[in-house]
Amino acid sequence: MSLQISSLSPETLIHTGDVQITVTGETGRISLRARGKLAPLDKALGVKLPTKIGTRANKGDVEALCLGPDEWLILCPNDDVSALKAACDAIYEKLPHSFTDISAREITLSITGPQAAELLTIGCPRDIASIGVGEARRTVFDNASVVLWCDGPDQFRLDLWNSFAPYSAELLITGAKEFSAETALT
Amino acid sequence: MLMIHCPYCDELLPEAEFAYAGEAHIIRPEDPSAVSDEEWEKFLFIRTNVKGLHFERWRHVHGCGRFFNAVRDTVSDRILITYKAGEPKPELDKLLAEVGQ
Ligand SMILES: [Zn+2]
């Protein structure tokens, strides 16, 4: 599997009263592309792949997010990637697909707190509230493609490619500081 | 900023998630070496450049990644309809009647 090369190490980057930004630990990430009847892949992964864009399904630690009509992002523990690859390889004849280990490509920021959603609006042009709890979307954050996961009204995860991560994180930290200065003034 | 309906995501989304991709319904010749220079030039470069309703491609690049088509009024910038790649051209008269123009 690909080596994890992270631009930011797992740690809390900022914690104001209203928002906390943390780099989460390493995880297995898989980009999956396939068309047609998905049953063989569902079986190999142990998760029924969701087919509505933005929806998620999970079985234990393996979580699948539908990114597009023929594209999924799979999250799983690091150690599970090779077993999942072997299981998918075994059904390749039945359902040709593309399985790519992208674990090293991205890091994830956990953004939580009462101002989390508002903080995201400084870089994301989308209506954050349009992403339901338990859903996720690929979208844009200050010009960089990201995946934004909504785990609760005040709980988000933002997947960032390593090369953009320090820049995007810096923007979020600056935003969080400005929000907290604003709160201090009122 | 324009708000664009992605026919794959079925959501109305900000233009910043999309990339413009030129005029739609331009078919690449099956066998490029068999066409004349004039026909090849027409395929590569000649566009309708319409003032009014324009069939054009967009890509939901920061989203589902799909290319799709739109009919946009180049005067008002209003997008009348978006539809999936491969679907036939919508009839403009019907479309205009639907949007009340
Ligand atoms: Zn889309």
Side-chain angles (χ1 to χ4, degrees):
Chain A
M1 73 176 275
S2 57
L3 210 63
Q4 303 257 355
I5 310 163
S6 182
S7 50
L8 298 168
S9 347
E11 62 177 332
T12 294
L13 300 176
I14 189 166
H15 189 184
T16 70
D18 294 318
V19 66
Q20 176 166 351
I21 305 173
T22 303
V23 182
T24 64
E26 290 176 354
T27 183
R29 306 168 198 265
I30 298 153
S31 166
L32 185 70
R33 307 288 302 259
R35 281 178 188 176
K37 295 216 175 355
L38 301 168
L41 275 173
D42 294 345
K43 224 173 144 197
L45 294 164
V47 178
K48 190 162 168 32
L49 290 169
T51 51
K52 187 177 183 318
I53 295 170
T55 59
R56 293 147 58 168
N58 76 297
K59 184 83 182 287
D61 288 335
V62 181
E63 177 155 45
L65 160 65
C66 181
L67 287 176
D70 59 359
E71 185 178 5
W72 291 266
L73 174 64
I74 316 284
L75 298 184
C76 66
N78 258 328
D79 296 341
D80 290 3
V81 176
S82 26
L84 289 175
K85 170 130 183 43
C88 291
D89 280 352
I91 57 98
Y92 188 85
E93 295 292 316
K94 250 190 258 173
L95 179 60
H97 60 269
S98 151
F99 179 113
T100 312
D101 180 359
I102 55 163
S103 307
R105 189 177 76 178
E106 294 161 27
I107 59 132
T108 298
L109 298 180
S110 150
I111 302 165
T112 57
Q115 276 187 340
E118 203 186 337
L119 180 61
L120 286 164
T121 65
I122 68 172
C124 183
R126 192 185 239 279
D127 177 12
I128 305 296
S130 69
I131 307 171
V133 172
E135 295 182 357
R137 295 290 192 289
R138 185 158 48 198
T139 178
V140 64
F141 186 82
D142 201 32
N143 293 311
S145 248
V146 297
V147 175
L148 179 59
W149 304 71
C150 178
D151 297 323
D154 293 347
Q155 273 184 292
F156 298 88
R157 278 176 287 147
L158 192 64
D159 295 346
L160 298 165
W161 288 30
N162 266 307
S163 49
F164 313 126
Y167 171 77
S168 309
E170 201 52 51
L171 180 68
L172 285 162
I173 292 167
T174 306
K177 282 181 185 162
E178 286 194 7
F179 279 18
S180 119
E182 221 168 76
T183 312
L185 281 176
T186 51
Chain B
M1 188 182 297
L2 294 175
M3 294 296 283
I4 300 174
H5 180 263
C6 174
Y8 293 92
C9 295
D10 194 19
E11 281 186 290
L12 191 66
L13 297 163
E15 185 188 349
E17 286 194 359
F18 297 85
Y20 178 70
E23 188 170 351
H25 300 289
I26 290 170
I27 296 159
R28 185 185 167 87
E30 293 262 354
D31 184 2
S33 57
V35 304
S36 67
D37 285 354
E38 288 70 28
E39 283 171 296
W40 190 243
E41 182 213 16
K42 204 165 157 245
F43 162 71
L44 284 183
F45 302 115
I46 308 302
R47 297 294 179 260
T48 53
N49 195 25
V50 69
K51 182 178 179 183
L53 299 183
H54 187 232
F55 294 93
E56 56 193 26
R57 299 200 308 158
W58 285 81
R59 184 178 178 217
H60 193 189
V61 58
H62 300 296
C64 65
R66 293 292 94 187
F67 282 89
F68 60 90
N69 295 329
V71 179
R72 181 176 58 95
D73 188 328
T74 59
V75 177
S76 64
D77 229 9
R78 178 176 181 188
I79 291 175
L80 277 72
I81 192 173
T82 57
Y83 51 102
K84 290 180 180 176
E87 288 179 1
K89 271 187 176 181
E91 284 173 47
L92 289 183
D93 293 348
K94 247 165 102 185
L95 199 58
L96 286 172
E98 271 168 34
V99 299
Q101 274 190 5

